[in-house]
Amino acid sequence: MKEKTPATSKGPRPSPTRSGGRRAVTVTDIANAIGVSRATVSLVLRNSPLVHVETRARVEAELRRQRYVYNRGAANLRRQTSNSVALVINDLSNPFFAEFAAGVDEALGSKGFVTLLGSTGESPERQHAVLSTLMEHTPAGLILSPAEGSESAQVTQVLGEHANVLLFNRELGGVEWDFLALDNQRGAAMATHHLIGLGHTRIAFFGGHAESSSCRQRRAGFAQAMEEAGLTVEPQWLIESAPNRLEAAACTGALFTQAQSPTAAVCYNDTVALGLMLGLTSRGIQPGRDFAVTGFDDISEAAVSSPSLTTLAVNPRERGRQAAELLLHRLSHPDAAVERLTAPVELRIRQSSGGTRR
Amino acid sequence: MKEKTPATSKGPRPSPTRSGGRRAVTVTDIANAIGVSRATVSLVLRNSPLVHVETRARVEAELRRQRYVYNRGAANLRRQTSNSVALVINDLSNPFFAEFAAGVDEALGSKGFVTLLGSTGESPERQHAVLSTLMEHTPAGLILSPAEGSESAQVTQVLGEHANVLLFNRELGGVEWDFLALDNQRGAAMATHHLIGLGHTRIAFFGGHAESSSCRQRRAGFAQAMEEAGLTVEPQWLIESAPNRLEAAACTGALFTQAQSPTAAVCYNDTVALGLMLGLTSRGIQPGRDFAVTGFDDISEAAVSSPSLTTLAVNPRERGRQAAELLLHRLSHPDAAVERLTAPVELRIRQSSGGTRR
DNA sequence: CTGAAAGCGCTTACAG
DNA sequence: CTGAAAGCGCTTACAG
């Protein structure tokens, strides 16, 4: 007769995990209650065909009766596995990333994984702290949208070289991790082609930080389309601005310093485009009539601004699902070649790209 | 001399948890490397003052050298504690909830907790599945923004009566859990007072599902303000609509079926208000000039619509922090009285509430 | 088909 | 101040 009381039952314990103080029901409780071994209960839980159908029924009944809750942490520890995936987002309050996160969680959940969330607010320091904490929970893999200014050395230091990582949206130099990004270059090229097709020849690229990889790629697409059409990119019409509405509006004047002004602008993103439209309007230039504007992202405001904004839809939720699937694939194929994927974007033509073309 | 190789080292194992196949470094590795016991290493990890300063230094050096990563799951199992909190959101793609989630994660992270994310897409079935999965990870507590149509019986069944739960935004009948919501009633009353102060007397309440608790509360605030001003609520000006732009726009006509029409509307939320403004415009009625409109939420579009939308700011990120703090407080005070908190909202006056008042 | 035993990585009285 | 031992809740060869 073995004593079932835990050795320490006399002293006070740290507050237990589950629900308001009750001790959790364990496989031992179930096994004892119906006189089978813990192994048998475990086999039932894991759906093993080894256990007799009638024994299984008795176990299952008792499981329900005692409202047993599986302790996946304990199981994972024993089995040396994990069913969690860490998702680290630079800015969850950005609808683009929020949608992305929703897609990730949806796809992960449907495969029985649980999402460990971390958000960094674009701070490399916070990112470091968040990653360290999350790694202590032994996630099977990690989906990381790096904070602006992340150093790959710092990131690999905390993650280890060989972790199962999927990078989203921003590259990190010198690591061999899977990478998923938007097709920034093609998107910007599509917007540029669209404007050219409308008859514009003097086109600016407006907004964004030139150093950021997404801005570089979008500028490259812009330049490519211009070149294909035999048009010249005027260096003074490559205008930088912080990616927010106010700064963008304030930079509007930079478009009109020459005798010859552009008649259209491909903007770094929707926010910048919205800012530019504000800036144009306040100068008496009506966007969509006197000047054509395109954005990037298709944020929800794009459809309802006036004029509505021609832009590139990026389908962030679908990107989230895709990211989850790529990571899950990596988990089961640790030795497959590194993936570098670029997701298609779709041109949405609206009113803002109307306008005069001379 | 004890054999250090795991008993099962011969057979193939399920793919191990950490980074690309390498076995994780454990306290045993550290202890063996420098010839101390695992207990000592553990004491160092937990910052116990018991261990000699020099021993501590040696242990810490070795920890770094071997890039040891603490296994919090194992520690939590042994200590019968948890440092995770589950966050279940009905709709993460709604910016309001995304901001809320960001706030929760921020506050939780700063207290050393990790966020287990679940999103339900407003489906009670998915919510049930998500909750079951998350509970297997023994979260210390749960922040739940219930899906529309959640049954409290189903929820308590999976969570247990006594779990540490904080309900956000939507009530669940017959449970004794902490609850945090916006001050819907006062918010709607503020909007109504604002319109009355501008001289309006014929005011409608527009949009939302009358059964939803938030709509009921907002209608109550509207009615209260009207009554305080000695104005009558016309039942035919209590107009329902699904909370999306299109449906709202389609319901515009319902305001103008009588000889006497309202001159202003308090809308259920911003989305509905934006829809109504669309509907008004297409009837040749200019919102903010011919008809006054207010919203609720202060979504980012509110500031940039034309006219810009007078609305109630709800500060979802701050609500998230607050929710996290309430839950953490509950964890340390399991027997404190149930909290029912109502968060202040703030009137933001913009152009849409201008307009004629007769 | 079922049970006894060992072990996942950690922590914590308890001795020394 | 340090070590040996037991145990958290689970799983898995291994015998029977």
Side-chain angles (χ1 to χ4, degrees):
Chain A
M1 181 160 301
K2 9 212 87 110
E3 63 306 326
K4 281 294 138 201
T5 353
T8 43
S9 68
K10 36 194 162 139
R13 309 287 299 278
S15 68
T17 284
R18 310 247 191 196
S19 331
R22 271 147 199 70
R23 206 183 114 279
V25 175
T26 73
V27 288
T28 307
D29 298 320
I30 305 298
N32 290 345
I34 58 177
V36 298
S37 77
R38 291 146 71 213
T40 303
V41 177
S42 177
L43 260 10
V44 170
L45 288 171
R46 307 211 67 232
N47 270 314
S48 161
L50 292 181
V51 22
H52 191 283
V53 59
E54 194 220 278
T55 314
R56 163 180 298 278
R58 281 170 56 218
V59 171
E60 282 172 344
E62 189 63 18
L63 252 11
R64 272 192 302 277
R65 204 182 66 74
Q66 297 205 35
R67 299 181 173 286
Y68 171 81
V69 177
Y70 191 64
N71 185 330
R72 207 163 283 275
N76 283 338
L77 176 59
R78 177 59 235 263
R79 302 185 64 203
Q80 295 289 85
T81 57
S82 167
N83 75 135
S84 64
V85 166
L87 171 64
V88 179
I89 292 293
N90 50 337
D91 181 11
L92 198 57
S93 65
N94 178 332
F96 170 76
F97 289 112
E99 278 278 0
F100 175 78
V104 168
D105 186 64
E106 180 190 324
L108 247 29
S110 77
K111 305 285 189 185
F113 282 78
V114 104
T115 307
L116 297 170
L117 180 69
S119 87
T120 64
E122 292 285 21
S123 151
E125 292 73 39
R126 273 185 53 88
Q127 175 173 285
H128 188 79
V130 163
L131 288 175
S132 308
T133 306
L134 291 178
M135 288 311 283
E136 298 183 350
H137 290 265
T138 63
L142 172 77
I143 296 174
L144 171 63
S145 165
E148 200 167 318
S150 302
E151 298 283 340
S152 65
Q154 237 211 355
V155 174
T156 52
Q157 185 218 306
V158 51
L159 298 186
E161 288 280 0
H162 302 274
N164 296 309
V165 179
L166 176 90
L167 251 27
F168 177 65
N169 209 38
R170 249 198 271 270
E171 287 204 68
L172 235 41
V175 289
E176 40 173 40
W177 288 329
D178 295 329
F179 177 59
L180 173 66
L182 304 178
D183 197 341
N184 286 311
Q185 177 159 350
R186 221 171 96 71
M190 287 164 77
T192 311
H193 277 133
H194 168 65
L195 293 173
I196 294 170
L198 257 24
H200 293 277
T201 55
R202 303 200 306 278
I203 309 177
F205 187 96
F206 187 85
H209 286 308
E211 327 82 68
S212 87
S213 70
S214 56
C215 188
R216 266 187 288 113
Q217 291 161 358
R218 289 173 195 183
R219 281 189 174 190
F222 166 71
Q224 173 203 324
M226 291 293 276
E227 189 176 349
E228 282 171 19
L231 299 173
T232 36
V233 174
E234 297 288 338
Q236 72 274 25
W237 293 345
L238 256 29
I239 295 165
E240 284 192 77
S241 100
N244 67 63
R245 211 173 306 238
L246 244 48
E247 300 270 352
C251 293
T252 306
L255 291 167
F256 305 106
T257 54
Q258 321 283 128
Q260 281 275 74
S261 303
T263 61
V266 172
C267 292
Y268 168 65
N269 69 13
D270 287 355
T271 303
V272 157
L274 258 14
L276 173 58
M277 296 207 296
L278 238 49
L280 291 170
T281 304
S282 73
R283 298 174 112 77
I285 301 167
Q286 191 178 318
R289 194 195 66 184
D290 309 328
F291 193 98
V293 172
T294 67
F296 208 114
D297 284 353
D298 198 20
I299 66 178
S300 65
E301 292 175 51
V304 297
S305 61
S306 41
S308 56
L309 182 60
T310 293
T311 186
L312 291 141
V314 297
N315 205 348
R317 178 176 288 259
E318 178 55 31
R319 291 314 130 235
R321 290 194 208 101
Q322 189 179 4
E325 249 134 56
L326 283 168
L327 183 71
L328 263 21
H329 185 265
R330 169 62 55 201
L331 297 184
S332 44
H333 303 273
D335 297 321
V338 173
E339 294 268 20
R340 309 195 84 261
L341 269 143
T342 224
V345 297
E346 196 184 330
L347 186 65
R348 291 245 200 287
I349 299 174
R350 302 207 183 90
Q351 299 163 359
S352 70
S353 56
T356 60
R357 51 225 54 159
R358 61 125 287 126
Chain B
M1 181 162 301
K2 12 211 86 110
E3 64 303 329
K4 280 294 140 204
T5 353
T8 43
S9 68
K10 36 193 161 141
R13 308 285 299 279
S15 67
T17 283
R18 310 249 190 191
S19 330
R22 269 149 200 70
R23 205 182 115 279
V25 175
T26 72
V27 287
T28 307
D29 298 320
I30 305 298
N32 291 345
I34 58 176
V36 299
S37 76
R38 291 145 71 214
T40 303
V41 177
S42 176
L43 259 12
V44 170
L45 288 171
R46 309 211 64 233
N47 269 315
S48 161
L50 292 182
V51 22
H52 191 282
V53 58
E54 194 221 277
T55 314
R56 162 179 300 278
R58 282 170 57 220
V59 170
E60 281 172 344
E62 189 63 18
L63 252 12
R64 272 192 302 277
R65 204 182 65 74
Q66 297 204 35
R67 297 181 174 286
Y68 170 80
V69 177
Y70 190 64
N71 185 330
R72 207 163 284 275
N76 282 338
L77 176 60
R78 177 59 236 261
R79 302 184 65 203
Q80 295 289 85
T81 57
S82 167
N83 75 135
S84 64
V85 166
L87 170 64
V88 179
I89 292 293
N90 48 337
D91 181 12
L92 199 58
S93 66
N94 177 331
F96 171 75
F97 288 112
E99 278 278 1
F100 175 78
V104 168
D105 186 64
E106 181 189 324
L108 247 29
S110 76
K111 306 284 188 182
F113 281 78
V114 104
T115 307
L116 297 169
L117 180 66
S119 86
T120 63
E122 292 285 20
S123 149
E125 292 74 38
R126 273 185 54 86
Q127 175 173 286
H128 188 79
V130 163
L131 289 175
S132 308
T133 306
L134 291 178
M135 289 310 283
E136 297 183 349
H137 289 264
T138 63
L142 172 77
I143 296 175
L144 171 63
S145 165
E148 200 167 318
S150 302
E151 298 282 339
S152 64
Q154 238 210 353
V155 175
T156 51
Q157 184 217 306
V158 51
L159 298 185
E161 287 281 0
H162 302 274
N164 296 309
V165 179
L166 176 89
L167 252 25
F168 177 65
N169 209 39
R170 249 199 271 270
E171 287 204 67
L172 234 43
V175 289
E176 41 173 41
W177 287 329
D178 295 331
F179 177 59
L180 173 66
L182 305 178
D183 198 341
N184 286 310
Q185 177 158 350
R186 221 171 96 71
M190 286 163 77
T192 310
H193 277 133
H194 168 64
L195 294 173
I196 293 170
L198 258 24
H200 293 277
T201 56
R202 302 201 306 279
I203 309 178
F205 187 96
F206 187 85
H209 286 307
E211 327 82 69
S212 88
S213 70
S214 56
C215 187
R216 266 187 288 115
Q217 291 162 358
R218 291 174 193 183
R219 280 188 174 191
F222 166 71
Q224 173 203 324
M226 292 293 276
E227 189 176 350
E228 282 171 17
L231 299 173
T232 37
V233 173
E234 296 288 338
Q236 71 275 24
W237 293 345
L238 257 28
I239 294 164
E240 283 193 80
S241 101
N244 67 64
R245 212 174 306 237
L246 244 50
E247 300 270 352
C251 292
T252 306
L255 291 167
F256 305 106
T257 54
Q258 321 282 126
Q260 282 274 76
S261 303
T263 60
V266 173
C267 292
Y268 168 65
N269 70 12
D270 286 356
T271 304
V272 156
L274 258 16
L276 173 57
M277 296 206 298
L278 240 49
L280 290 169
T281 304
S282 73
R283 298 174 111 78
I285 302 168
Q286 190 178 318
R289 194 195 66 183
D290 310 328
F291 193 98
V293 173
T294 68
F296 208 114
D297 283 353
D298 197 21
I299 65 178
S300 65
E301 292 175 52
V304 296
S305 62
S306 42
S308 56
L309 182 61
T310 293
T311 186
L312 291 140
V314 298
N315 206 347
R317 178 177 287 259
E318 179 54 32
R319 291 314 131 236
R321 291 195 207 100
Q322 188 179 5
E325 249 133 55
L326 284 168
L327 183 71
L328 262 22
H329 184 264
R330 169 61 56 201
L331 296 184
S332 45
H333 303 273
D335 298 321
V338 173
E339 294 268 21
R340 311 195 82 260
L341 270 148
T342 224
V345 298
E346 196 184 330
L347 187 65
R348 292 244 199 286
I349 298 175
R350 302 206 182 91
Q351 298 162 359
S352 70
S353 55
T356 59
R357 48 226 54 155
R358 61 127 285 125

